[in-house]
Amino acid sequence: MTTHRENSFIRSMRLFIISFGLIAVSAFILPSVNSTAHNNNMAPNAVQQPTGTPTAGELERLKIEEAKMSSMLASIRRQKLSVLRSRALTVGVIGFGRFGQFIGEKFTKYGNLIGTSRSDYTKIANDMGAKYIPLTDLESFVMEDDLDVIVVAVSIVSFEDTIKDLVPHLEKRIREKGAGSCPLIVDVASVKEHARNVMLKNLPEECDILCTHPMFGPDSAKHGWHGQTFVYERTRIDKVLLDPSTHRSLHHYSDESSDESESEFLDDAGVSHGVHENSEAHVAGMDRMERFLSIWEEEGCNMISMSCKEHDEFAANSQFITHLMGRILGAQGLKATPIDTKGFQNVLKLVKTTNADSFDLFYGLYKYNSNSMEIINNLKMAMDDVVGKLLEKEGKNSSRL
């Protein structure tokens, strides 16, 4: 087992070295382009050619270099996919309903899948090459030998109870199979701070935690995940609580100057830890988390590393208000007509999409996001303001609103 992990880590380091080489190559290519852009910005109205103008053939040379880099990046992507499939993850999904099946089907492309739910989805699981265990036998689900990841895909309303039901079985697994056997616990809830706090409060400290929110579902991504947004926060690895404000995403290169403080974690006791601690458990935990995230990346998702707090602030101003307006408009019984404009057709699509989701989802967005009531109050004030202006145009008193 140790040898395999070491080999996986060595392969990852090789990929890092290749990536670093690409960055170094770009450092030689970009200065001439940046220099030209800088000179043009300094004298936008100048007629004379700026110093350092590319010579004839320079564009052709740059295109050749671009083609070489594209080829190298394609090679790296193939190597990444090979590493991902070199040791297939076994992913368990709690809540194997419509959304659980939607994500589970993709997981089967990269590893093994085990589903569990209150309803009997044995046939559906078998059809997609997955194993199914009834939720009434949650212990057997958790005690599966090769279980690497557990995705909790239940409604936000029942999320806390599900986590609490999971805890005694995880504790048994840790006792009987060792601390290193605890699966990575992943949530896919629409509200992140609540889910994060519930997991940190209840799960055994041996469990690594990854908070995620796929910003799409079976309807909006029925033709594939390419270009769909996937938000995530690496929350805990090897008992170390990661600081999302300083921990950089490994999926995207940043050209900002690095800082030693950005390579540190704070654990629950406030003790500082390095990103690359000399710990086999830390390396294995990070590798497992990256393998799981890579599934979404390979499917074409737009990967966004973001703290749960930031997510909820943004989501209240985008996702919640979208669902709120869809529910309000849906309550009016809007229907298509023979003379619909494109704008009204989009309104009907909004109503259909938002009302296709369960009311529990909508209620969860409201109840467990502390920013939701502010959005409702702002909407009410905006409504009063707009109607007031209409009444003022007719010389009527808007103070009665």
Side-chain angles (χ1 to χ4, degrees), residues 20-77:
F20 184 83
L22 287 177
I23 296 166
V25 170
S26 66
F28 288 101
I29 296 174
L30 295 178
S32 62
V33 178
N34 290 336
S35 175
T36 302
H38 174 74
N39 289 330
N40 287 338
N41 290 334
M42 291 296 292
N45 299 317
V47 177
Q48 71 275 17
Q49 291 291 336
T51 58
T53 301
T55 59
E58 182 70 6
L59 183 59
E60 181 181 4
R61 186 186 70 80
L62 289 174
K63 286 184 176 181
I64 293 173
E65 292 295 335
E66 182 181 36
K68 289 180 180 178
M69 292 183 69
S70 296
S71 177
M72 292 176 69
L73 288 172
S75 175
I76 289 175
R77 187 179 183 278

Side-chain angles (χ1 to χ4, degrees), residues 70-198:
S70 296
S71 177
M72 292 176 69
L73 288 172
S75 175
I76 289 175
R77 187 179 183 278
R78 289 193 296 270
Q79 291 180 58
K80 281 173 57 183
L81 190 58
S82 176
V83 170
L84 177 61
R85 290 174 172 169
S86 64
R87 189 181 68 81
L89 289 176
T90 296
V91 181
V93 177
I94 300 178
F96 204 61
R98 188 167 179 246
F99 186 78
Q101 295 167 25
F102 169 69
I103 61 175
E105 188 172 16
K106 294 290 187 183
F107 294 162
T108 60
K109 291 173 59 178
Y110 301 92
N112 306 306
L113 176 67
I114 306 172
T116 186
S117 203
R118 288 178 296 181
S119 302
D120 185 6
Y121 294 115
T122 303
K123 184 179 185 308
I124 293 176
N126 290 340
D127 288 344
M128 66 174 69
K131 182 177 182 179
Y132 188 80
I133 299 175
L135 191 60
T136 52
D137 194 10
L138 186 57
E139 180 177 318
S140 295
F141 172 85
V142 175
M143 294 299 289
E144 280 285 319
D145 287 337
D146 298 324
L147 189 61
D148 297 298
V149 181
I150 293 178
V151 178
V152 184
V154 301
S155 73
I156 190 65
V157 177
S158 57
F159 183 80
E160 185 168 9
D161 288 339
T162 302
I163 291 296
K164 288 180 178 179
D165 290 341
L166 195 58
V167 169
H169 305 300
L170 289 171
E171 291 174 338
K172 179 180 178 181
R173 182 183 179 99
I174 293 169
R175 285 195 308 270
E176 296 187 5
K177 299 178 181 289
S181 69
C182 191
L184 166 66
I185 310 298
V186 181
D187 88 283
V188 290
S190 300
V191 181
K192 299 269 47 82
E193 279 202 288
H194 172 71
R196 182 181 192 272
N197 292 337
V198 166

Side-chain angles (χ1 to χ4, degrees), residues 234-400:
R234 298 181 185 86
T235 303
R236 186 169 69 192
I237 297 179
D238 189 27
K239 303 182 183 179
V240 176
L241 189 64
L242 279 64
D243 183 353
S245 66
T246 60
H247 186 62
R248 296 186 179 216
S249 166
L250 298 184
H251 289 92
H252 307 288
Y253 169 71
S254 173
D255 60 0
E256 297 176 0
S257 59
S258 61
D259 188 289
E260 288 186 3
S261 63
E262 294 181 347
S263 297
E264 296 179 347
F265 303 117
L266 293 178
D267 64 16
D268 295 327
V271 179
S272 177
H273 297 262
V275 173
H276 302 292
E277 288 190 349
N278 187 22
S279 163
E280 181 180 346
H282 178 85
V283 173
M286 181 64 82
D287 180 73
R288 176 174 59 182
M289 194 172 285
E290 286 307 309
R291 285 174 181 274
F292 179 78
L293 288 171
S294 291
I295 293 175
W296 305 84
E297 186 180 18
E298 288 299 322
E299 286 299 314
C301 289
N302 176 29
M303 309 293 288
I304 298 180
S305 176
M306 179 182 293
S307 72
C308 291
K309 183 176 185 299
E310 285 181 301
H311 168 278
D312 285 0
E313 291 172 354
F314 287 129
N317 286 288
S318 59
Q319 187 184 30
F320 175 68
I321 197 169
T322 299
H323 279 260
L324 178 63
M325 292 306 301
R327 292 283 174 176
I328 291 173
L329 295 172
Q332 297 185 43
L334 300 180
K335 295 182 180 179
T337 73
I339 57 171
D340 289 348
T341 63
K342 288 294 183 181
F344 186 69
Q345 289 174 4
N346 290 333
V347 168
L348 292 179
K349 288 179 182 178
L350 171 66
V351 172
K352 181 179 179 180
T353 301
T354 53
N355 284 268
D357 291 320
S358 69
F359 194 83
D360 273 354
L361 170 62
F362 178 54
Y363 176 66
L365 293 174
Y366 160 75
K367 180 176 176 60
Y368 297 108
N369 190 329
S370 59
N371 304 286
S372 59
M373 184 51 71
E374 180 182 357
I375 297 298
I376 292 175
N377 291 333
N378 289 343
L379 184 61
K380 287 180 179 178
M381 289 190 291
M383 180 73 174
D384 290 345
D385 181 59
V386 172
V387 175
K389 289 178 179 178
L390 291 174
L391 295 177
E392 287 174 5
K393 277 287 188 181
E394 294 188 339
K396 297 179 181 179
N397 188 356
S398 61
S399 61
R400 295 181 179 181

